[in-house]
Amino acid sequence: IAWNNTRLQSLQGDALGTMSIGEDITERYAIERIKNEFISVVSHELRTPLTAIHGALNLLSTGLVAPESSRGQHVINIAAESTERLVRLVNDILELERLECGRIKLVKHCVNAAQLLRVAQDQMQVMANRTGIKLEILPQDLEFEADGDRMIQVLTNLMSNAIKFSDSGSTIKLSVEAEWRTFDGETPMASVLFCIRDQGRGIPPEKMESIFERFQQVDASDSRQKGGTGLGLAICRSIVEQHGGIIWVESVLDQESCFYFSIPVKISEENYHEQ
Ligand code: ADP
């Protein structure tokens, strides 16, 4: 508690006493701490590619490495890759920040789940072909209210992870089905359940929740080796939660991962009782 003391005096200027107002600042401190932690993680994440770019430019500008030599080309590639990583990081940080502050408004309209799966598959086909991975979809014509572009963003983010963490020759299956789910411990609601199943390296049980937090990865080398930012799943969770839904993963280590997200569908009281 922070105390704020104010002296009280009469109109004639005689001291009457002191008034103390206590303010519970626990929450303010907690928010401050989360903010500071976030800034320190972000600075650390940004510093790595910046240091690489700085080092590369230094080598070239001091003439220690000739730009046209093969070592020079290697150094230039490092600087270019680090710049791309920096851009990805800044974009993802800004995107997440805007989503969490509610500055990105969802544009909801009636969308078709089968259509969403097809668009996501089209967008990821090139990446899948390049890595020799097969994409399979099991579409169902379910219609619901959602921001279609954001739904596709969640699907393609999850598919891109599935591709990154699977070996060539494996298959990724996307499916959708209608279900009843209790979202807030109250009445079960009709919802649309999406599933992205891969045959990749899997996720250890103790990491299945933490990977949805910002910058959390199963292995510290994942971002460097696979080019990710560690923000993709946090962005997915934010989008799904803004639709009132939930997202989670089930996985068997070294066998498969299955990412699910379920979006509640508003249906009338009448229809609900008919089910
Ligand atoms: P990144 O940009 O690193 O992919 P994400 O937030 O999308 O960040 O994912 C966080 C981490 O979760 C990944 O770095 C990886 O360790 C793990 N992960 C995500 N998807 C999968 C998957 N399909 N299979 C195995 N591990 C995964």
Side-chain angles (χ1 to χ4, degrees):
I1 305 253
W3 293 98
N4 194 353
N5 297 325
T6 312
R7 279 213 193 127
L8 299 175
Q9 55 183 31
S10 69
L11 287 174
Q12 289 75 31
D14 302 327
L16 293 175
T18 310
M19 181 174 69
S20 293
I21 299 177
E23 187 196 350
D24 184 350
I25 53 171
T26 325
E27 196 180 334
R28 216 165 74 195
Y29 267 129
I31 293 172
E32 199 65 19
R33 197 172 43 81
I34 292 170
K35 221 164 82 187
N36 287 341
E37 267 171 24
F38 180 62
I39 291 172
S40 101
V41 176
V42 167
S43 331
H44 173 78
E45 292 291 327
L46 295 179
R47 198 172 292 134
T48 316
L50 271 174
T51 310
I53 296 167
H54 184 241
L57 288 177
N58 228 347
L59 284 175
L60 296 168
S61 65
T62 52
L64 275 173
V65 173
E68 60 281 2
S69 67
S70 70
R71 176 133 167 73
Q73 288 304 306
H74 177 65
V75 168
I76 291 170
N77 279 344
I78 290 180
E81 276 166 21
S82 301
T83 311
E84 277 170 27
R85 176 161 175 71
L86 209 54
V87 172
R88 269 202 308 273
L89 266 169
V90 171
N91 283 343
D92 278 359
I93 290 167
L94 292 178
E95 168 93 341
L96 190 56
E97 202 49 33
R98 280 198 291 259
L99 277 165
E100 308 253 288
C101 293
R103 263 188 284 143
I104 292 183
K105 289 272 163 278
L106 299 182
V107 186
K108 286 195 185 178
H109 46 93
C110 181
V111 293
N112 181 301
Q115 185 64 15
L116 294 177
L117 290 193
R118 282 190 209 103
V119 175
Q121 183 189 26
D122 281 350
Q123 289 190 9
M124 299 312 294
Q125 197 62 61
V126 173
M127 183 179 177
N129 288 349
R130 226 177 15 224
T131 39
I133 287 171
K134 212 169 127 206
L135 296 181
E136 249 179 51
I137 57 169
L138 301 151
Q140 264 202 57
D141 274 322
L142 301 169
E143 298 209 322
F144 63 109
E145 285 274 309
D147 185 326
D149 288 342
R150 297 280 161 198
M151 286 290 104
I152 290 168
Q153 188 180 357
V154 175
L155 287 167
T156 51
N157 251 332
L158 296 176
M159 289 164 80
S160 141
N161 278 347
I163 295 173
K164 277 195 303 194
F165 298 105
S166 298
D167 290 328
S168 168
S170 66
T171 302
I172 294 168
K173 288 187 181 145
L174 279 96
S175 60
V176 62
E177 60 185 88
E179 61 158 8
W180 287 97
R181 179 170 295 277
T182 309
F183 285 90
D184 48 10
E186 287 172 21
T187 337
M189 287 177 85
S191 62
V192 182
L193 175 68
F194 289 87
C195 170
I196 292 89
R197 183 186 296 272
D198 66 49
Q199 302 168 324
R201 73 173 196 198
I203 296 158
E206 70 278 11
K207 302 273 179 172
M208 285 192 208
E209 274 190 32
S210 66
I211 51 169
F212 290 94
E213 302 294 332
R214 302 160 177 202
F215 299 118
Q216 292 296 317
Q217 294 170 315
V218 170
D219 196 308
S221 67
D222 280 349
S223 61
R224 234 176 313 120
Q225 286 177 3
K226 311 275 181 184
T229 59
L231 291 168
L233 290 179
I235 291 175
C236 289
R237 185 175 66 178
S238 187
I239 294 173
V240 169
E241 286 181 353
Q242 286 200 34
H243 280 83
I246 49 168
I247 183 166
W248 74 100
V249 63
E250 288 169 13
S251 176
V252 182
L253 208 51
D254 297 322
Q255 271 185 37
E256 63 165 27
S257 297
C258 200
F259 281 83
Y260 293 97
F261 65 96
S262 186
I263 306 287
V265 178
K266 280 189 209 85
I267 59 166
S268 64
E269 183 93 351
E270 228 170 89
N271 284 347
Y272 173 72
H273 289 298
E274 272 172 20
Q275 295 283 327

